[in-house]
Amino acid sequence: MISAPDVVAFTREEELEDELYSEPPLPEEYSVPLFPFASHGANPWAKVASSKFTRDFILISEFSEQVGPQPLLTIPDDTKVSGTFDLNYFSLRIMSVDYQASFVGHPPGSAYPKLNFVEDSKVVLGDSKEGAFAYVHHLTLYDLEARGFVRPFCMAYISADEHKIMQQFQELSAEFSKASECLKTGNRKAFANELEKKLKDLDYTRTVLHNETEIQKKANDKGYYTTQAIEKANELASVEKSIIEHQDLLKQIRSYPYRKLKESDFHPYEPERALDQANAACDQDLTTSDLAEPGETHLYAHVPSYTPKLIKAKSAKCFDKKLKTLEELCDIYFFTQTLDQLQQIERTFRGDMCYLLTDQISRALLKQQSVTNFLFEDASFLDEKPPEKQYRGCQGLSQDAIDRKCLEEFPAPKVIISLGSYKSSVECVPIKMEQEIEDSQEPKMTESITFEHQENLDYLDADIKGSISSGESIEVLGTEKSASGLTKSESQASLPISPSPQVVRSKVGSRRTVSEDSIEVLSTCPSESLIPEDFKASYPSAINEEPYVDDEEGGLHFASKLNLDNTDEQGDISKQENLVQVDSACCIGKESPNFLEPLPDLGQKPCDEDGVVRIPPQPYRQAEQGLRGSFGGFPSRDGISGGLLPYELDSRYLTGSREVSKSSLDECSDSTSYISSAASTCSDRTPSPAHPACQESERHKKKAGQNALRFIRQYPFAHPAIYSLLSGRTLIVLGEEEAIVKKLVTALSIFVPNCGIYAKPVKHWVTSPLHVVDFQKWKLIGLQRMVSPAGVNVLHALSRYSRYVSILDADSKTLRCPLYKGTLVSRLADHRTQIKRGSTYYMHVQSILTQLCSKAFLFTFCHHLHLPISEREPEESVVNRRMNFLKLQLGLANEDIKIVQHLAELLKMQYIQEPGQGVNPLLRFDYVPSFLYKI
Amino acid sequence: KSSVQTIGEEQIQNPYTELLVLKGHQDIVRFLVQIDDYRFASAGDDGIIFLWNAQTGEKLFELYGHTHKITAIAPFSSSDTSEEQTHLILTASADRTVIVWDCTSGRQVQKVSCFHSTVKCLTVLQRLDVWLSGGSDLCVWNRKLDLLCKTSHLTDAGISALVELPRNCVAAAVGKELIIFRLMTSNDGSEGWNILEVKRLVDHQDNILSLVSVNDLTFVTGSHVGELIVWDALDWTKQASECNFWDSSVHPDVQPEIKLSQSRNETSVQHLTSDEECVFAAVGKGIYVYNLQMRRVIACQRTAHDSSVLHIEKLPNRQLISCSEDGSVRIWELREKQQLPAEPVPTGFFNMWGFGRANRQASQAAKKMQENTPMYFLELVGDLIGHSSAVQMFLYFGELGLATCSADHLIILWKDGERESRLRSLTLFQKLAQNGDLQIR
């Protein structure tokens, strides 16, 4: 990606500007057309110019009772990551905002110390001096030796990109909450262990003391107690008190899960990976049996035998003892789990903001395509559950908003608007995908292809200046509520009146404080403001709450301005959009009420006279428009090309990419460029960490894309081979060497449409003779060629079933398959393509396949293409209509028709499949002659 | 090289472009029997009977009850007994039992196990509402599975085939003999039947393998040595016979073949089928069309398959389907020859290869048969390759397609892809309407 922040960090604003103005401009006809605001010298990366670190990272810090705030570890664990960035300083900053003075100890009126089960707090911090913005997640861990038994920690996601932090707040919060819950679960376990050990120690000590006292009693028969004896007795008494105290603590810590379960938004940490037995048992106890009998659990029963020690009467001085490390504080299993999760978070979010957003948008959009998305999308992705379900407490606003937008009538550009500042960057997504080839460190390149609104930039400048002027200030730019605040003001800006009660409430809820020590908390969590008072009591607020003042408007200035911009551009539609946004803003923390409600004005559409029925199987406006355009009198071509077949756009995108990649051929190379390293690419596209399989699939995609690129360059007959796969004819890759065959199979697998939502019908390696059942099940098979007699059988079976298969011989480099004369595959697999990277090519393929899917969808769901209009209409006229549609309306030629027909059959089968029974695998075939292709 | 005609990959007239493999059997599947318009049963050497939906390929029931392989199966439906039609099937097995199954519930209705030998054939006389089982003797049963009457012990080898004839008669093939039995109401009881042997026909030289009733007036038998005899169904006299299938001299339209390679097996009449005009015989590897009126073979395909043809059936549209031990199913069309009678060019150029050597006999025969009768030939219009072993039998379901069963334990449903696609669209739009997705929202 061009916009990876690690690269961006090198682009200084001044340098860039110098270069821009020093060079004489190219003559108009040679220059790459600049984006609209580029002439102003807009540099979208200026905002990160001052950051001292090269990439996003996660910092874990502790407010040590001995040494104060200190950084513990960073993820990734690499000193290069933080660079010159002062971790100590930043730790101080982030820890100092922990205003939840967790009260632990002897509360008045209570005989025993009470453990306080403190909620985590989540804030966003900005340090403009350091150029760092952070999502900070505070949590406390229990430590028997610590003051008040608690140790305050925080995990911070630190990025140079403020907007990433702000806009991904919900996602970050959700992920960090998960990690935190994991860590705390492990900590509770460790704490209980520690308590048990301590109890044993105390018990032992008591016994020893008791014995000693007895001995002393016996030894002295004088009838009075020596001071020694009295001391011993006191000691004994204090030990006994201590035992009672510790027992109480143990009870408290054990009752924690039960107490928490009563609260609706508590989600006990459930490890996703395989657990060893003991842990599994433990965890189960945590979640289930505790609910039943909280008092007497064998919760932490799996404690290894422990030999008690004698506890000295006077413990060591507070500052002499070494405090436990974070690792010691937590059960080792949970600790490593947490680290894994944090790493996953880092991988997920480290890409550029626009990449994250694009990914989220495309995910959300893909989810909407419930009819066709099974064909070429990952099964793992489709199984994914929306995060909202798991974290109702902190519902993802942006995700939610996206979902809603998609369900509304608006196609993609609308979605982008709702995402505010990233409108522009998302709009040029196709170019960016190509851009991935590039080394985006070259500033001009970046400059030429990306731009941001001037207003946007102005705002940023102002903001940065402002904070610089405030000296060493930390700005808490916003917490959870900030998102809602943002939308609120947006709506106010574009809509004069929108005094819905929710808005008012959110306003009231979003208090902020201006403290004297230049710590500004711009807003606080909405969840906090929405939760009942008694609940809130557990967060003692150390900071005065004051109503909003102008600062907030300053902070939101940008958003509203941008929105006005949009309003200009979009006209009336954006008004509606804004209405929707108000809604979404109000619904934070609730289940969105109008999630699936269609807009009323879409309902009434007169049926066309010519008897054409428009069938929108899902309430997408887009699809429906397409249907309408293509049916309401066939001539309306633009309806199709505009709505459905963005050929023009596509070709532009392709040529653009070609130019772009040519120009920077020298600078870029897959291996050297930092951002193109495997890990980075993967992570950029890595979905949420809840799905560890996805990363694997990302890697697979990249590999497959690379192999596919190689394949289409190496084999001149790649087109008929791909055609075979797309038209559902099984392709067999025959070869002696497993590695070569498997590589080819992996490469070709990206062209194989799925038959259901399960795994791809791809078999990488087979050694036994094939049977007709195999062709029914697998559409791409790697087959071993053997010289042995068994091999003869294999080949015999192949020749027998040759009508069902295409055979790609990897050894002799030949292909035996039907002729292909269509045009579709040549766009999909151009051997002169300038695409260099596997993942880019993969995305290219995906985009074309998605287009193909939309055609297949259209074809499948047009009633009269398959069924007669009137009862007396002969079948031939339906067939004619069908062919006309395929040829003229969908613009398909020759064999391309078969591809769409095959996909349509798959769609039909998927749609009519009854949920209970599995799909009966069909083998569809044609009686067409095959030809032998040679290199 | 092989003399078998091949059609290549382009088969325009072959409608079967979709197949569905039905798995379930664990041994050779030998029998397919149609139950009603959309259901069929399959049975074989594993002793299990499966009921299938011919449209969807759905397995409806698995019927367990026999311990040995199935030797005969017959549908036994009745519409007259009650208002709703009951579909039963009878199955006979090598475990010397016959079981009656209810196809609607998939339950075993009754089991008869008093046989002294394996029942090799079952015939239902719908008109009399009785069924017959043929083993070493012939038994007559009514619907309630009461034994009405039986013949004395006929032969150890048992009855190999049974066919119903007019006037309450049955023809049974017992070895080389054809025995005609007549069922008569007994004098004493109303339910009582007697079975009497009426006539024994000993015209065949070898075991009778196939027996088919053409119409009310004629039936045809075929034997292991390639004799085909047409009988009068009323007076059981021989109307015509054809016994020289292997002899190329009889067939003017076929280039003569050297007789050296002819073994008995290759001339045995494996299966017979007929329509009103013709009898179609599967003889060895070939298919022969015998015209009843002209009393001669009007068309043939001497090597229709690579090995023995096991089953043959006539479709309504002048097409013929054959299946063979070579694992393939072929579709033929009976066409009138376009050539002038003066040019004795062999049918189908394909037969020219490998049949190069003419002999004296052939040329004579060719001259002799220069009559100006319309000539026909069998054109291969399609082949279905799916099974990896001998295709034992097939069942033509008309529009629904074709079910084939094979020694590779599989049943394959061959379907017309176009039609299926249309049907799926129909279902799709029905489901759309059902889900309410058709409403414009």
Side-chain angles (χ1 to χ4, degrees):
Chain A
M1 280 301 290
I2 33 152
S3 40
D6 21 9
V7 181
V8 162
F10 293 118
T11 60
R12 299 269 166 181
E13 188 178 11
E14 312 84 59
E15 292 167 18
L16 199 81
E17 273 173 357
D18 286 349
E19 271 181 62
L20 259 181
Y21 293 117
S22 61
E23 269 184 34
L26 278 169
E28 191 76 84
E29 60 268 33
Y30 296 118
S31 64
V32 181
L34 292 172
F35 285 98
F37 298 96
S39 55
H40 301 278
N43 170 18
W45 317 114
K47 59 186 171 179
V48 290
S50 58
S51 71
K52 287 179 179 165
F53 48 94
T54 52
R55 55 183 287 190
D56 293 3
F57 62 97
I58 294 172
L59 172 68
I60 300 181
S61 321
E62 182 198 1
F63 197 104
S64 165
E65 59 193 59
Q66 292 173 347
V67 296
Q70 57 169 353
L72 296 180
L73 56 99
T74 60
I75 292 167
D77 196 7
D78 187 353
T79 46
K80 272 186 284 179
V81 166
S82 49
T84 56
F85 186 65
D86 190 348
L87 287 180
N88 279 310
Y89 172 78
F90 203 73
S91 293
L92 173 71
R93 289 307 194 191
I94 56 180
M95 285 314 284
S96 59
V97 202
D98 183 16
Y99 50 79
Q100 53 162 27
S102 29
F103 183 80
V104 187
H106 290 267
S110 165
Y112 308 121
K114 282 268 181 279
L115 282 179
N116 207 343
F117 298 119
V118 204
E119 299 301 315
D120 295 354
S121 74
K122 303 150 188 181
V123 288
V124 169
L125 286 169
D127 189 333
S128 47
K129 191 188 160 215
E130 297 280 333
F133 298 90
Y135 164 85
V136 188
H137 193 105
H138 294 280
L139 68 153
T140 50
L141 298 180
Y142 300 112
D143 183 358
L144 200 52
E145 287 152 31
R147 191 179 57 195
F149 307 122
V150 289
R151 305 262 302 266
F153 285 90
C154 86
M155 304 185 284
Y157 185 89
I158 300 163
S159 168
D161 185 356
E162 173 193 353
H163 294 280
K164 182 194 283 182
I165 303 292
M166 296 297 275
Q167 295 195 12
Q168 299 295 309
F169 184 84
Q170 301 295 336
E171 288 78 10
L172 282 167
S173 159
E175 294 306 324
F176 272 101
S177 298
K178 247 190 262 178
S180 159
E181 203 51 60
C182 178
L183 193 65
K184 287 197 288 186
T185 307
N187 171 248
R188 282 195 298 275
K189 199 180 164 194
F191 186 61
N193 267 341
E194 205 187 347
L195 273 171
E196 276 178 350
K197 284 181 191 170
K198 185 74 181 273
L199 274 173
K200 279 182 187 154
D201 288 348
L202 287 168
D203 202 44
Y204 178 70
T205 314
R206 183 178 62 181
T207 323
V208 171
L209 281 175
H210 190 76
N211 287 347
E212 279 175 9
T213 323
E214 289 302 309
I215 291 163
Q216 271 188 349
K217 262 188 203 161
K218 278 183 196 146
N220 103 64
D221 13 335
K222 286 170 190 162
Y224 61 91
Y225 295 110
T226 59
T227 45
Q228 231 182 353
I230 292 168
E231 227 168 65
K232 275 274 184 280
N234 282 340
E235 215 173 296
L236 191 61
S238 78
V239 165
E240 255 156 25
K241 185 175 177 252
S242 183
I243 287 176
I244 294 168
E245 278 177 12
H246 281 87
Q247 276 171 343
D248 192 63
L249 281 175
L250 189 60
K251 213 170 106 188
Q252 286 180 49
I253 195 78
R254 279 176 172 172
S255 69
Y256 173 79
Y258 175 66
R259 279 178 48 174
K260 293 302 286 182
L261 277 178
K262 284 192 286 193
E263 290 155 21
S264 59
D265 54 349
F266 171 69
H267 305 278
Y269 172 72
E270 283 157 45
E272 284 142 15
R273 284 162 212 199
L275 286 170
D276 53 293
Q277 286 289 313
N279 276 325
C282 247
D283 214 64
Q284 205 145 29
D285 287 347
L286 252 172
T287 52
T288 54
S289 70
D290 272 309
L291 191 64
E293 24 180 20
E296 30 180 46
T297 52
H298 42 94
L299 181 50
Y300 302 114
H302 307 270
V303 184
S305 60
Y306 172 72
T307 26
K309 296 187 292 278
L310 186 68
I311 294 176
K312 283 176 199 155
K314 287 202 178 104
S315 60
K317 277 257 166 59
C318 182
F319 288 94
D320 296 343
K321 73 179 175 200
K322 191 180 162 290
L323 281 173
K324 286 196 181 70
T325 63
L326 181 58
E327 205 168 342
E328 288 165 341
L329 275 178
C330 183
D331 182 271
I332 188 68
Y333 170 79
F334 288 95
F335 182 70
T336 48
Q337 282 284 299
T338 311
L339 285 189
D340 284 353
Q341 282 192 13
L342 289 176
Q343 261 154 18
Q344 193 70 43
I345 292 172
E346 194 268 330
R347 283 196 203 111
T348 309
F349 289 95
R350 70 180 162 193
D352 185 76
M353 181 62 194
C354 68
Y355 206 7
L356 284 172
L357 286 176
T358 315
D359 197 43
Q360 282 168 6
I361 292 167
S362 59
R363 269 164 189 288
L365 286 174
L366 263 178
K367 277 213 182 80
Q368 301 305 308
Q369 301 178 329
S370 55
V371 178
T372 55
N373 60 10
F374 74 95
L375 280 176
F376 292 105
E377 296 304 326
D378 260 353
S380 59
F381 155 67
L382 293 171
D383 289 340
E384 195 175 310
K385 285 181 194 75
E388 288 95 314
K389 273 186 191 160
Q390 290 170 337
Y391 292 92
R392 243 173 300 149
C394 39
Q395 198 176 24
L397 166 76
S398 59
Q399 188 68 30
D400 196 359
I402 290 163
D403 283 350
R404 200 166 320 150
K405 295 289 142 37
C406 300
L407 282 173
E408 312 286 357
E409 50 163 345
F410 304 112
K414 296 281 132 202
V415 179
I416 289 151
I417 289 171
S418 79
L419 292 164
S421 68
Y422 274 87
K423 178 181 182 292
S424 52
S425 33
V426 178
E427 266 179 351
C428 33
V429 158
I431 298 159
K432 289 199 171 177
M433 291 192 341
E434 292 309 307
Q435 192 52 32
E436 209 183 31
I437 317 163
E438 310 308 325
D439 188 339
S440 50
Q441 296 192 19
E442 203 203 6
K444 250 204 249 167
M445 281 297 302
T446 345
E447 165 66 31
S448 69
I449 57 150
T450 34
F451 76 100
E452 294 227 343
H453 287 282
Q454 185 58 36
E455 285 85 352
N456 193 339
L457 211 83
D458 284 347
Y459 152 67
L460 288 166
D461 284 348
D463 185 54
I464 286 162
K465 274 173 213 146
S467 36
I468 288 167
S469 69
S470 72
E472 303 232 327
S473 71
I474 286 183
E475 296 166 289
V476 180
L477 291 174
T479 52
E480 285 183 37
K481 195 62 193 184
S482 70
S484 86
L486 199 99
T487 28
K488 179 183 72 82
S489 98
E490 245 177 72
S491 62
Q492 278 174 340
S494 50
L495 289 177
I497 342 142
S498 62
S500 83
Q502 280 96 335
V503 171
V504 174
R505 182 146 84 122
S506 74
K507 195 174 181 178
V508 171
S510 315
R511 310 207 157 208
R512 60 181 298 271
T513 51
V514 182
S515 76
E516 284 85 312
D517 332 324
S518 72
I519 291 176
E520 296 171 281
V521 182
L522 291 183
S523 60
T524 53
C525 311
S527 54
E528 194 185 326
S529 62
L530 294 174
I531 49 170
E533 281 304 311
D534 53 336
F535 197 94
K536 224 170 159 181
S538 65
Y539 294 68
S541 173
I543 301 170
N544 297 328
E545 295 191 343
E546 279 175 30
Y548 270 59
V549 257
D550 50 356
D551 246 17
E552 126 107 348
E553 252 160 45
L556 296 163
H557 163 74
F558 131 77
S560 55
K561 229 178 171 183
L562 185 86
N563 201 270
L564 278 169
D565 240 12
N566 292 339
T567 320
D568 290 340
E569 279 170 24
Q570 305 295 335
D572 309 349
I573 312 159
S574 82
K575 260 191 186 164
Q576 206 165 4
E577 174 67 15
N578 281 315
L579 264 172
V580 172
Q581 279 206 332
V582 173
D583 250 351
S584 72
C586 302
C587 300
I588 300 165
K590 285 186 277 180
E591 294 294 339
S592 47
N594 58 344
F595 199 77
L596 282 162
E597 284 295 310
L599 287 181
D601 61 331
L602 294 177
Q604 294 87 33
K605 258 182 242 105
C607 221
D608 289 352
E609 256 81 346
D610 57 0
V612 173
V613 177
R614 298 179 301 273
I615 309 106
Q618 297 291 316
Y620 320 143
R621 177 66 169 274
Q622 201 177 0
E624 193 209 51
Q625 276 171 340
L627 286 168
R628 192 191 207 176
S630 48
F631 270 105
F634 277 175
S636 68
R637 271 210 73 94
D638 46 356
I640 290 159
S641 59
L644 290 143
L645 314 172
Y647 277 128
E648 297 91 327
L649 185 128
D650 190 71
S651 59
R652 178 160 37 90
Y653 143 43
L654 281 172
T655 48
S657 74
R658 217 162 279 158
E659 280 163 17
V660 152
S661 38
K662 258 183 232 152
S663 63
S664 66
L665 213 70
D666 311 342
E667 291 98 318
C668 89
S669 93
D670 269 15
S671 47
T672 51
S673 158
Y674 170 66
I675 44 155
S676 62
S677 77
S680 168
T681 326
C682 291
S683 74
D684 282 351
R685 299 277 301 171
T686 303
S688 86
H691 309 279
C694 287
Q695 180 132 28
E696 204 46 53
S697 82
E698 285 300 325
R699 202 159 287 153
H700 170 80
K701 276 180 198 168
K702 195 187 172 217
K703 216 176 112 195
Q706 265 167 1
N707 289 340
L709 259 182
R710 209 164 295 147
F711 174 75
I712 61 168
R713 290 208 178 107
Q714 268 179 13
Y715 292 82
F717 47 73
H719 290 184
I722 292 169
Y723 162 67
S724 275
L725 292 171
L726 287 175
S727 62
R729 186 182 173 110
T730 301
L731 180 73
I732 291 171
V733 181
L734 186 66
E736 274 178 56
E737 272 185 59
E738 189 174 351
I740 293 172
V741 170
K742 277 189 173 170
K743 200 178 243 176
L744 273 172
V745 170
T746 313
L748 289 165
S749 64
I750 62 173
F751 302 105
V752 182
N754 288 339
C755 298
I757 49 163
Y758 306 107
K760 283 234 169 203
V762 175
K763 183 91 179 157
H764 282 80
W765 188 242
V766 174
T767 53
S768 54
L770 294 170
H771 200 260
V772 72
V773 187
D774 298 313
F775 310 133
Q776 196 173 246
K777 215 188 308 177
W778 310 112
K779 294 297 167 197
L780 177 59
I781 305 175
L783 182 66
Q784 185 182 28
R785 181 206 299 278
M786 284 182 293
V787 208
S788 63
V792 175
N793 281 340
V794 169
L795 292 180
H796 176 74
L798 269 194
S799 69
R800 179 177 177 83
Y801 296 116
S802 61
R803 67 175 56 170
Y804 304 123
V805 294
S806 299
I807 301 163
L808 176 65
D809 192 325
D811 300 331
S812 63
K813 305 238 189 291
T814 58
L815 174 73
R816 193 189 159 280
C817 81
L819 206 61
Y820 174 73
K821 295 193 295 289
T823 54
L824 224 153
V825 176
S826 57
R827 288 202 292 134
L828 195 63
D830 181 4
H831 67 278
R832 287 165 308 195
T833 181
Q834 295 295 316
I835 298 173
K836 299 226 160 26
R837 299 183 50 192
S839 49
T840 315
Y841 182 66
Y842 182 85
M843 283 190 271
H844 169 64
V845 169
Q846 283 286 307
S847 76
I848 293 197
L849 291 180
T850 308
Q851 273 183 35
L852 198 55
C853 284
S854 71
K855 286 182 191 178
F857 172 82
L858 204 55
F859 174 66
T860 315
F861 287 91
C862 285
H863 183 272
H864 296 324
L865 297 181
H866 305 278
L867 301 171
I869 295 172
S870 68
E871 276 184 26
R872 280 166 296 148
E873 192 182 29
E875 181 57 32
E876 295 86 70
S877 76
V878 180
V879 172
N880 275 340
R881 194 160 51 221
R882 186 154 62 219
M883 291 319 280
N884 271 338
F885 181 82
L886 286 168
K887 280 179 189 156
L888 304 175
Q889 308 298 314
L890 293 184
L892 299 170
N894 305 323
E895 279 77 19
D896 293 340
I897 290 174
K898 277 188 183 159
I899 297 179
V900 170
Q901 278 176 332
H902 173 65
L903 295 182
E905 288 306 316
L906 293 178
L907 288 181
K908 282 185 210 169
M909 282 188 253
Q910 178 72 16
Y911 191 85
I912 62 179
Q913 181 202 350
E914 295 300 324
Q917 65 200 59
V919 178
N920 245 333
L922 278 176
L923 178 61
R924 293 173 52 78
F925 50 92
D926 292 306
Y927 297 103
V928 286
S930 288
F931 295 89
L932 190 70
Y933 294 86
K934 287 175 185 163
I935 279 193
Chain B
K1 281 271 174 167
S2 167
S3 57
V4 179
Q5 183 187 2
T6 50
I7 186 170
E9 281 166 329
E10 207 163 357
Q11 303 175 11
I12 306 152
Q13 289 185 72
N14 189 346
Y16 300 109
T17 55
E18 199 171 299
L19 66 82
L20 203 57
V21 178
L22 311 182
K23 286 191 258 187
H25 282 287
Q26 279 135 40
D27 209 331
I28 300 174
V29 192
R30 290 184 192 274
F31 303 99
L32 294 174
V33 63
Q34 186 166 356
I35 296 163
D36 55 17
D37 288 342
Y38 71 99
R39 286 183 299 175
F40 69 95
S42 65
D45 288 3
D46 54 4
I48 313 165
I49 299 113
F50 288 93
L51 298 190
W52 307 92
N53 181 328
Q55 171 56 42
T56 61
E58 189 189 347
K59 191 190 288 172
L60 301 170
F61 292 110
E62 297 177 24
L63 311 178
Y64 294 92
H66 288 296
T67 54
H68 287 72
K69 64 178 190 179
I70 310 287
T71 52
I73 183 166
F76 190 16
S77 49
S78 63
S79 46
D80 47 356
T81 47
S82 59
E83 56 278 3
E84 57 182 290
Q85 204 168 2
T86 55
H87 292 285
L88 303 177
I89 46 170
L90 303 166
T91 55
S93 158
D95 60 6
R96 296 185 185 181
T97 58
V98 170
I99 298 181
V100 185
W101 309 90
D102 184 351
C103 297
T104 325
S105 64
R107 290 218 196 92
Q108 179 177 328
V109 177
Q110 221 165 341
K111 184 173 184 172
V112 189
S113 47
C114 60
F115 295 97
H116 299 295
S117 67
T118 302
V119 175
K120 289 194 175 158
C121 49
L122 292 166
T123 302
V124 175
L125 304 186
Q126 208 63 255
R127 201 161 33 89
L128 304 173
D129 204 28
V130 296
W131 57 276
L132 284 74
S133 65
S136 59
D137 48 11
L138 185 67
C139 305
V140 183
W141 310 80
N142 69 4
R143 182 168 287 276
K144 291 170 194 143
L145 266 74
D146 301 321
L147 180 62
L148 300 175
C149 56
K150 61 185 277 188
T151 64
S152 56
H153 182 80
L154 294 165
T155 162
D156 285 334
I159 298 168
S160 57
L162 274 172
V163 71
E164 187 186 0
L165 297 178
R167 299 184 190 166
N168 292 359
C169 287
V170 209
V174 183
K176 294 175 189 175
E177 293 180 345
L178 191 66
I179 308 175
I180 312 291
F181 293 99
R182 175 169 280 163
L183 271 102
M184 295 195 294
T185 38
S186 64
N187 305 326
D188 39 337
S190 58
E191 264 290 297
W193 290 88
N194 265 335
I195 188 153
L196 287 178
E197 184 183 321
V198 182
K199 195 168 186 181
R200 267 181 200 244
L201 305 166
V202 286
D203 296 74
H204 276 292
Q205 302 294 311
D206 206 339
N207 288 341
I208 299 169
L209 294 179
S210 46
L211 182 59
V212 67
S213 163
V214 177
N215 51 35
D216 277 353
L217 298 171
T218 35
F219 68 98
V220 188
T221 55
S223 82
H224 193 250
V225 284
E227 302 154 304
L228 182 97
I229 301 179
V230 183
W231 305 89
D232 188 309
L234 297 172
D235 58 7
W236 316 301
T237 54
K238 192 156 97 177
Q239 286 190 335
S241 75
E242 185 78 48
C243 54
N244 296 318
F245 280 123
W246 67 90
D247 188 350
S248 48
S249 63
V250 188
H251 315 297
D253 49 353
V254 179
Q255 281 279 46
E257 195 178 348
I258 300 151
K259 282 167 85 178
L260 282 174
S261 62
Q262 297 290 335
S263 71
R264 291 223 141 182
N265 200 30
E266 289 185 359
T267 60
S268 71
V269 182
Q270 302 279 355
H271 189 246
L272 288 170
T273 187
S274 72
D275 59 5
E276 285 296 309
E277 289 173 26
C278 299
V279 174
F280 304 90
V283 182
K285 294 176 184 174
I287 302 169
Y288 294 80
V289 183
Y290 181 87
N291 189 298
L292 287 168
Q293 279 193 324
M294 288 189 267
R295 298 197 174 181
R296 66 180 193 86
V297 173
I298 57 162
C300 77
Q301 193 59 257
R302 295 178 67 84
T303 43
H305 284 271
D306 282 322
S307 50
S308 293
V309 180
L310 295 177
H311 196 85
I312 184 170
E313 212 162 300
K314 173 76 170 55
L315 308 190
N317 51 358
R318 288 189 78 76
Q319 283 187 343
L320 197 64
I321 300 181
S322 63
C323 68
S324 150
E325 278 178 358
D326 65 7
S328 69
V329 176
R330 293 182 162 215
I331 307 165
W332 308 87
E333 193 165 287
L334 189 64
R335 290 188 183 164
E336 220 164 301
K337 206 179 272 185
Q338 296 297 314
Q339 70 189 57
L340 293 166
E343 296 173 65
V345 174
T347 4
F349 66 97
F350 44 86
N351 275 335
M352 296 196 313
W353 334 314
F355 295 91
R357 282 180 258 175
N359 61 19
R360 185 168 29 91
Q361 221 177 354
S363 54
Q364 282 170 358
K367 273 172 202 159
K368 193 175 73 189
M369 296 301 286
Q370 285 299 329
E371 292 158 37
N372 290 333
T373 47
M375 297 225 219
Y376 296 91
F377 67 102
L378 284 169
E379 164 120 1
L380 182 62
V381 294
D383 62 344
L384 307 176
I385 293 175
H387 289 292
S388 57
S389 186
V391 181
Q392 297 288 337
M393 198 181 172
F394 61 87
L395 203 59
Y396 178 68
F397 259 99
E399 273 201 308
L400 290 189
L402 185 75
T404 57
C405 67
S406 157
D408 63 4
H409 312 178
L410 299 178
I411 297 163
I412 297 184
L413 267 181
W414 303 84
K415 290 175 161 291
D416 180 350
E418 295 270 309
R419 182 179 175 272
E420 294 302 309
S421 169
R422 215 160 47 235
L423 283 179
R424 275 194 286 272
S425 284
L426 194 65
T427 324
L428 177 99
F429 287 107
Q430 278 167 356
K431 190 167 176 182
L432 272 173
Q434 211 175 45
N435 293 359
D437 289 340
L438 275 177
Q439 269 80 54
I440 295 158
R441 286 191 269 195

